[in-house]
Amino acid sequence: MNNDFINTMQIEGAIGQTVLELLERKQSITLPYLLEALREHSTDDYAQQAEKLLKNAFTIQAA
């Protein structure tokens, strides 16, 4: 596997874990809440990569 694929899998795992944490706290699952929670628990670079991935996913879903 190449590093980009592995990195994307790790980011997706972190996003999934963050969603579970938000659900546990009975908090809405919106892009702003998700990004804020990701920033709280990860490095700036990792949070930026997750934000890029999420925005791309939300854009594809909206299309």
Side-chain angles (χ1 to χ4, degrees), residues 31 35 50-63:
L31 184 57
L35 292 174
E51 181 175 351
K52 184 177 176 182
L53 184 68
L54 283 167
K55 284 184 176 181
N56 187 41
F58 273 74
T59 300
I60 290 170
Q61 183 65 27

Side-chain angles (χ1 to χ4, degrees), residues 35-51:
L35 292 174
E36 181 181 329
L38 283 164
R39 284 187 201 106
E40 289 175 7
H41 301 294
S42 50
T43 65
D44 286 340
D45 184 52
Y46 203 76
Q48 287 175 349
Q49 290 178 40
E51 181 175 351

Side-chain angles (χ1 to χ4, degrees), residues 1-54:
M1 288 190 206
N2 73 30
N3 287 340
D4 289 339
F5 181 73
I6 292 169
N7 194 36
T8 299
M9 288 177 51
Q10 290 172 335
I11 292 170
E12 289 174 351
I15 292 168
Q17 183 62 39
T18 303
V19 167
L20 292 175
E21 290 172 13
L22 291 173
L23 288 171
E24 187 178 303
R25 292 187 279 182
K26 299 182 186 333
Q27 199 165 4
S28 297
I29 308 298
T30 64
L31 184 57
Y33 279 131
L34 193 50
L35 292 174
E36 181 181 329
L38 283 164
R39 284 187 201 106
E40 289 175 7
H41 301 294
S42 50
T43 65
D44 286 340
D45 184 52
Y46 203 76
Q48 287 175 349
Q49 290 178 40
E51 181 175 351
K52 184 177 176 182
L53 184 68
L54 283 167

